[in-house]
Amino acid sequence: MDRLSKWRISMATWLLRGVDARAEGAVGIPPRPPAGNGRPLHIAIIMDGNGRWATARGLPRIKGHEAGAHAVRSVLDAALDEGVGHLSFFVFSTENWRRPEAEVVGLMRLAADTIRWAADHLDYAERGLRLRWCGIQAGLAPELVEALGEAELRTRNGRSMTVVFCLNYGGRAEITRAAAAMARATLAGRLEPDAIDEQVFARHLLLPDLPDVDMLVRTSGEQRISNFLLWQSAYAEFFFVETLWPDFTGDQLRLLIRAFAARKRRFGAVP
């Protein structure tokens, strides 16, 4: 029996004992899945529940977002330890502008602070962390755009894990912008309509080199993807957990990674 088969048996035994990724207070984490077999290369996270976390404690909503920033740090550390190649956070959507102005201003400030913190963290630099931004510049404060640009520049040589901050991002907006860019290229004679396929389309997305999402996580119990990385998540495995984002930990992410490895991904084919 090979190493992968033994690992799958141990994983199944662990699951049958009733210790799953949604259980709070779970003790012990199964061993990391073998390299190249069942490990997600790109994890995307919808960080939901900050406002509800604060409201339940009688606090302003922004306090929930501040608490959520600490969860980002815990998850970053776990993802690095687990060998995840790409980690995308849904920080602020194109629909979030509808929130109260004070909350939006606080979110933008907190996003800039978190991005600067990650870029300045010496341990992350030594471990090869790369920071990138995926989103639309229109409407963002110049100082935030500057912070995003500086973080990308300073960490551009990181090779171990790429962290993508999806800020002022919407999946439909990204797809329509890509379609418009291809239409302009076609009118200019630079692109033949019959040459447009999935690969050509993907080259017109905001981050053309961003790999497809393997594992999409949403906290707070809501079961929808809310316009997040629609193109990239076509074959993602979804994990909806009850934990509110400020209470989500790196250990919970590790449990989800092991649950991911136990799933069978067929991509439309027969196993």
Side-chain angles (χ1 to χ4, degrees):
M1 185 181 296
D2 61 22
R3 181 167 171 249
L4 177 59
S5 297
K6 290 179 180 177
W7 180 86
R8 283 176 173 162
I9 291 174
S10 66
M11 182 68 195
T13 302
W14 172 75
L15 287 172
L16 287 172
R17 286 174 181 166
V19 183
D20 66 27
R22 293 169 297 178
E24 294 188 6
V27 178
I29 296 174
R32 177 191 291 184
N37 293 295
R39 192 182 305 173
L41 300 178
H42 183 186
I43 299 176
I45 301 180
I46 301 174
M47 305 177 290
D48 195 18
N50 293 330
R52 276 168 281 172
W53 183 93
T55 300
R57 289 160 175 77
L59 300 172
R61 287 176 58 86
I62 192 60
K63 293 298 182 183
H65 297 299
E66 291 173 357
H70 294 287
V72 169
R73 300 172 186 181
S74 176
V75 167
L76 269 178
D77 291 335
L80 274 167
D81 292 341
E82 292 292 324
V84 175
H86 285 76
L87 180 64
S88 296
F89 290 109
F90 204 3
V91 178
F92 189 89
S93 77
T94 50
E95 290 78 27
N96 287 155
W97 292 106
R98 303 169 187 168
R99 295 188 176 190
E101 183 179 358
E103 183 175 350
V104 170
V105 171
L107 279 168
M108 295 300 174
R109 173 189 55 77
L110 187 58
D113 290 345
T114 302
I115 290 161
R116 291 193 185 98
W117 169 83
D120 292 339
H121 201 296
L122 292 178
D123 182 55
Y124 288 157
E126 292 173 356
R127 297 175 71 182
L129 190 73
R130 183 186 183 191
L131 303 179
R132 302 188 72 185
W133 166 41
C134 184
I136 301 169
Q137 182 172 336
L140 294 180
E143 55 268 24
L144 178 55
V145 175
E146 182 180 353
L148 291 164
E150 287 181 356
E152 286 191 329
L153 183 62
R154 292 176 57 187
T155 64
R156 65 188 182 281
N157 294 322
R159 292 293 180 269
S160 62
M161 184 172 76
T162 297
V163 177
V164 181
F165 292 100
C166 296
L167 198 156
N168 200 21
Y169 172 86
R172 286 183 172 180
E174 180 180 31
I175 290 171
T176 54
R177 285 167 66 92
M182 287 187 296
R184 289 191 295 270
T186 300
L187 288 173
R190 299 191 304 272
L191 179 64
E192 289 293 327
D194 292 339
I196 298 174
D197 57 15
E198 291 183 11
Q199 288 72 33
V200 171
F201 189 94
R203 288 201 295 269
H204 290 81
L205 296 174
L206 291 171
L207 292 182
D209 56 336
L210 186 67
D212 284 347
V213 174
D214 297 305
M215 173 178 162
L216 189 147
V217 179
R218 181 172 187 147
T219 58
S220 86
E222 301 291 347
Q223 298 188 17
R224 55 182 179 273
I225 61 173
S226 297
N227 200 22
F228 185 41
L229 295 176
L230 298 179
W231 177 272
Q232 298 87 345
S233 298
Y235 272 99
E237 296 289 328
F238 292 171
F239 292 83
F240 300 110
V241 297
E242 296 295 329
T243 308
L244 300 178
W245 176 248
D247 293 327
F248 192 81
T249 66
D251 282 345
Q252 285 179 282
L253 180 68
R254 291 185 176 95
L255 290 175
L256 291 178
I257 289 173
R258 279 128 185 89
F260 171 90
R263 293 191 181 184
K264 294 181 179 180
R265 306 183 74 200
R266 301 183 180 88
F267 299 98
V270 176

